[in-house]
């Protein structure tokens, strides 16, 4: 039976990514190295099997959509607007500086002006997938630097949408060939038509405004309402299907109707849903598919890479790589410091943006199509992207941030600096319980502590939920329990219990280990879903690990044993009520 290109691409891409990713992990390298090499091996520039590049890119888009949707679930409109004063001027400033560096290099080798502008612009746009993956792995997504990075990426996405629309309009002026029909009419009305430069710009801005307005006014009511309705059906399968349909549907509709990128559309869909109490459950349901398809993104990038460019143009490849890594990192960090941010935040932001990705490939491809950029330029962009993606995880050195935090000066308003970094105020509670996560489990635990009169403090990374708790008089700290200084602000030294109610045991392990080292007498309770996770959390210092399946089995067994050889004194309704409560 002959195989189909779709199945062959999935099997080859995921299979090789798994093998090489495992090998990279064994060698203490980032699994991304294995994923990229897997793409190179099944690409058209190496011998052997060649996967379908078009299919691989489309599958990779699914990963980008689900990843951005998941990130949006952890953000609110308030979070995005809170960083607008740095994200908007910072993103445009960084793009302008790096574009200038790329332009200077191309002028030195004799490329036309148009080629230099396209090449430089392609080197100035960070990969959304790589940035978010790195921030997630280092548990920095919920930090101030992480929030600024996400806002920065949103601004870059909007800027690139405008650039892709305007580039064909300016192709003739820049020395290329514009593939567009000439307007049939002339006069004042043509000024507003989309085939003119002003018309294209105005139409694009109008579409973006319409999309943002639609999501803010209609989306924030319709999307949560749909999920709440499906949740009340009690069907987990329908709920998972609804989450995927919303993420993919909004992303596709945003691209088709409003000209917005898939990534930006999915991010806003997730951000709107973040205001719902079902956001945590939605994130859990999309996680497996999100991770699997995100791997295909890196595989598809590897398929585009021609290794011969390293031999044919080594000096240009080196220059491109240095502009991407050092140029972007230095520009972003310097701008953040100029705006009054601390050195750790500035460095986190700079390292996050020290690579390029999906939009760079699209822009370089359009430049070649319009005869603005030579094919060598596209190969250099791809080579620089591959090398910068490979090096990016290594830039987030585990020992670098603590040193910077210790050396960073404190900014004060008296010094004339702008300091909008939220401060973590240490709680005055002692002998209290620190409850991490206020989802379905955390809410029940909090109610029990409240009824028992036990002082407790909640750590919750969803800003909307944290604000609601704070308004209700609950002691709460906003953020991720693994971020530096947060457990200290929760006064873990004087706490009696640390209770991790979040469903991800590996994320719990990050702060459990730190808490155990800080307070050896602390009683730590956590959740797990398998025996391996139980052993993992025990090694890190947890005293009690609750595995849901075992507790359910124990409750059922205790109920059955209590009724064996005992007279039937309960009515069916009483028995049903007891089982439900347990």
């Amino acid at each position: 039976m002959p195989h189909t290109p779709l199945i062959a691409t999935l099997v080859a891409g995921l299979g090789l990514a798994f093998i090489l990713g495992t090998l990279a992990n064994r060698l203490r390298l980032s699994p991304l190295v294995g994923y990229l090499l897997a793409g190179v091996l099944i690409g058209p520039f190496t011998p052997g099997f060649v996967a379908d590049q078009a299919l691989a890119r489309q599958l990779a888009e699914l990963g980008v959509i689900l990843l951005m949707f998941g990130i949006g679930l952890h953000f609110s409109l308030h979070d995005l607007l809170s960083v607008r004063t740095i994200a908007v001027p910072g993103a445009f400033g960084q793009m302008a500086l790096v574009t200038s560096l790329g332009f200077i290099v191309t002028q030195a080798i004799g490329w036309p002006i148009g080629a230099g502008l396209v090449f430089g612009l392609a080197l100035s746009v960070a990969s959304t997938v790589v940035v978010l993956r790195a921030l997630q792995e280092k548990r920095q997504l919920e930090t101030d630097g992480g929030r600024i990075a996400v806002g920065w990426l949103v601004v870059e996405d909007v800027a690139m949408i405008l650039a892709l629309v305007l580039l064909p309009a300016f192709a003739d002026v820049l020395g290329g060939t514009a593939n567009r029909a000439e307007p049939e009419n002339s006069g004042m009305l043509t000024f507003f038509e989309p085939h003119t430069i002003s018309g294209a710009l105005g139409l694009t801005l109008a579409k973006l405004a319409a999309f943002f307005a639609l999501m803010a006014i209609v989306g924030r009511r319709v999307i949560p309402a749909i999920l709440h309705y499906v949740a009340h059906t009690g069907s987990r399968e329908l709920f998972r299907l609804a989450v995927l349909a919303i993420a993919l549907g909004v992303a596709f509709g945003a691209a088709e109707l409003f000209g917005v990128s898939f990534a930006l559309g999915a991010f806003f869909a997730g951000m709107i849903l973040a205001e719902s109490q079902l956001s945590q459950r939605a994130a859990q349901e999309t996680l497996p598919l999100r991770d699997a398809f995100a791997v295909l993104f890196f595989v598809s990038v590897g398929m585009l890479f021609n290794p011969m460019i390293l031999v044919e143009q080594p000096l240009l490849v080196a220059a491109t790589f240095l502009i991407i890594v050092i140029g972007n990192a230095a520009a972003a960090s310097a701008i953040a410091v100029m705006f009054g941010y601390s050195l750790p935040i500035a460095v986190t932001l700079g390292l996050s943006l020290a690579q390029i990705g999906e939009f760079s490939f699209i822009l370089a491809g359009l430049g070649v199509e319009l005869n603005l950029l030579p094919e060598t330029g596209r190969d250099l962009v791809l080579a620089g992207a591959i090398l910068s993606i490979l090096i990016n995880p290594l830039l987030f050195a585990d020992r670098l941030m603590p040193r910077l935090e210790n050396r960073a000066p404190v900014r004060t308003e008296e010094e004339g600096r702008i300091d909008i970094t939220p401060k973590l105020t240490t709680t005055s509670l002692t002998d209290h319980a620190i409850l991490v996560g206020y989802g379905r489990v955390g809410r029940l635990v909090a109610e029990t502590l409240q009824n028992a009169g036990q002082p407790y403090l909640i750590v919750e990374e969803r800003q909307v939920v944290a604000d609601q708790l704070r308004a209700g008089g609950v002691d709460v700290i906003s953020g991720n329990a693994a971020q530096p200084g947060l457990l200290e602000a929760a006064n873990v030294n004087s706490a009696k219990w640390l209770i991790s109610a979040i469903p991800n045991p590996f994320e719990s392990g990050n702060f459990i280990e730190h808490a155990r080292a800080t307070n050896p007498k602390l009683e730590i309770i956590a959740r797990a879903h398998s025996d391996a996770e139980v052993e993992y959390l025990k090694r890190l210092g947890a005293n009690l690990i609750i595995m849901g399946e075992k507790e359910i089995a124990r409750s059922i067994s205790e109920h059955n044993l209590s009724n064996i050889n005992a007279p039937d004194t309960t009515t069916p309704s009483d028995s049903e009520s007891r089982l439900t409560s347990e």
Side-chain angles (χ1 to χ4, degrees):
M1 179 178 175
H3 64 258
T4 65
L6 175 61
I7 295 176
T9 301
L10 280 172
V11 171
L14 293 178
L16 269 178
F18 165 69
I19 295 172
L20 296 178
T22 303
L23 180 61
N25 185 68
R26 184 75 174 175
L27 298 174
R28 299 184 179 274
L29 298 173
S30 170
L32 297 185
V33 176
Y35 306 157
L36 291 167
L37 291 178
V40 174
L41 292 179
I42 62 175
F45 303 105
T46 53
F49 173 76
V50 177
D52 191 312
Q53 284 183 290
L55 279 176
R57 283 196 295 271
Q58 291 183 40
L59 292 171
E61 285 287 3
L62 290 176
V64 174
I65 291 171
L66 295 176
L67 178 67
M68 290 301 294
F69 179 74
I71 297 303
L73 289 172
H74 292 86
F75 273 77
S76 66
L77 187 60
H78 176 268
D79 291 330
L80 196 61
L81 293 177
S82 66
V83 298
R84 67 185 184 278
T85 54
I86 175 66
V88 175
F92 282 108
Q94 172 247 324
M95 292 176 69
L97 289 172
V98 176
T99 299
S100 300
L101 291 176
F103 180 79
I104 292 172
V105 170
T106 58
Q107 292 305 292
I109 60 176
W111 284 11
I113 293 177
L117 290 175
V118 173
F119 181 74
L121 190 59
L123 303 187
S124 69
V125 187
S127 167
T128 300
V129 179
V130 177
V131 171
L132 298 180
R133 193 69 173 265
L135 291 174
Q136 280 183 325
E137 288 181 355
K138 295 300 179 182
R139 309 299 175 194
Q140 295 178 356
L141 189 59
E142 299 299 327
T143 64
D144 300 306
R147 280 191 285 267
I148 294 172
V150 172
W152 200 291
L153 289 169
V154 171
V155 175
E156 285 191 348
D157 277 0
V158 173
M160 288 306 298
I161 291 170
L162 295 175
L164 292 172
V165 170
L166 294 177
L167 192 60
F170 281 99
D172 288 335
V173 178
L174 296 174
T177 303
N179 296 325
R180 68 179 192 273
E182 293 297 325
E184 297 178 0
N185 303 322
S186 59
M188 292 295 294
L189 290 178
T190 60
F191 182 82
F192 299 97
E193 294 188 7
H195 51 244
T196 64
I197 294 175
S198 57
L201 179 60
L203 183 62
T204 302
L205 291 174
K207 285 182 176 181
L208 287 171
F211 171 72
F212 296 149
L214 184 66
M215 292 302 295
I217 298 172
V218 180
R220 70 190 315 172
R221 296 182 180 180
V222 174
I223 292 176
I226 292 174
L227 277 190
H228 277 278
Y229 172 79
V230 175
H232 282 101
T233 66
S235 172
R236 183 174 181 180
E237 180 181 342
L238 280 179
F239 185 83
R240 183 184 295 117
L241 187 61
V243 172
L244 292 175
I246 289 172
L248 298 175
V250 172
F252 182 78
E256 289 294 315
L257 300 178
F258 300 100
V260 177
S261 66
F262 288 128
L264 195 59
F267 173 76
F268 270 90
M271 194 174 65
I272 294 299
L273 187 57
E275 301 180 10
S276 168
Q277 294 181 349
L278 294 170
S279 60
Q280 189 174 15
R281 183 179 171 189
Q284 295 173 16
E285 296 296 342
T286 58
L287 184 61
L289 278 177
R290 183 181 71 190
D291 288 345
F293 281 104
V295 169
L296 288 175
F297 166 79
F298 296 100
V299 174
S300 68
V301 172
M303 292 175 64
L304 298 172
F305 179 54
N306 183 1
M308 289 304 298
I309 191 68
L310 300 175
V311 179
E312 296 172 355
Q313 301 286 351
L315 294 180
L316 283 180
V317 169
T320 302
F321 173 75
L322 292 175
I323 291 174
I324 294 171
V325 176
I326 298 179
N328 280 305
S333 299
I335 291 172
V337 171
M338 287 173 58
F339 274 78
Y341 284 87
S342 64
L343 188 59
I345 292 178
V347 172
T348 298
L349 179 63
L351 297 182
S352 299
L353 302 174
Q355 36 65 42
I356 60 174
E358 52 273 21
F359 265 124
S360 302
F361 310 147
I362 297 172
L363 182 66
L366 181 61
V368 172
E369 181 184 338
L370 296 174
N371 296 322
L372 285 171
L373 185 69
E375 292 192 7
T376 301
R378 179 175 59 187
D379 292 338
L380 289 172
V381 169
L382 290 171
I386 293 285
L387 295 175
S388 64
I389 291 173
L390 286 174
I391 199 69
N392 191 257
L394 302 178
L395 297 177
F396 284 85
D398 292 333
R399 298 180 180 179
L400 176 61
M401 283 309 173
R403 292 180 180 177
L404 290 174
E405 288 171 359
N406 292 333
R407 296 181 182 180
V410 177
R411 311 289 188 180
T412 64
E413 293 182 1
E414 288 76 9
E415 292 173 340
R417 303 296 184 99
I418 302 173
D419 186 7
I420 65 173
T421 302
K423 297 295 187 298
L424 293 174
T425 304
T426 302
T427 181
S428 60
L429 293 175
T430 58
D431 288 329
H432 59 295
I434 301 173
L435 174 60
V436 180
Y438 194 73
R440 290 176 295 172
V441 174
R443 186 177 292 107
L444 295 174
V445 174
E447 289 176 2
T448 302
L449 295 171
Q450 179 73 29
N451 294 334
Q454 168 64 43
Y456 68 96
L457 177 145
I458 294 176
V459 177
E460 173 57 51
E461 63 182 3
R462 292 173 296 169
Q463 188 64 47
V464 175
V465 176
D467 291 340
Q468 291 172 351
L469 289 170
R470 195 175 288 112
V474 179
D475 286 310
V476 61
I477 295 180
S478 305
N480 189 304
Q483 75 184 65
L486 193 141
L487 286 181
E488 284 71 18
N491 199 9
V492 70
N493 276 316
S494 301
K496 190 174 182 180
W497 292 295
L498 172 65
I499 305 168
S500 175
I502 61 176
N504 188 338
F506 297 102
E507 184 175 346
S508 299
N510 287 288
F511 57 82
I512 285 175
E513 185 177 22
H514 176 59
R516 172 58 66 215
T518 304
N519 185 352
K521 297 180 179 180
L522 185 69
E523 183 173 355
I524 301 176
I525 305 170
R527 296 172 60 185
H529 304 285
S530 67
D531 292 332
E533 293 174 354
V534 170
E535 291 301 320
Y536 169 76
L537 293 174
K538 278 185 178 179
R539 288 198 306 269
L540 295 179
N543 300 96
L544 175 64
I545 301 100
I546 308 296
M547 197 162 79
E549 291 79 1
K550 285 187 176 181
E551 293 304 312
I552 293 171
R554 182 179 293 114
S555 295
I556 294 173
S557 300
E558 288 177 355
H559 174 77
N560 289 339
L561 289 173
S562 66
N563 287 281
I564 292 176
N565 299 322
D568 188 4
T569 59
T570 61
T571 62
S573 59
D574 292 335
S575 177
E576 182 181 352
S577 175
R578 182 183 175 188
L579 284 171
T580 302
S581 65
E582 290 178 352

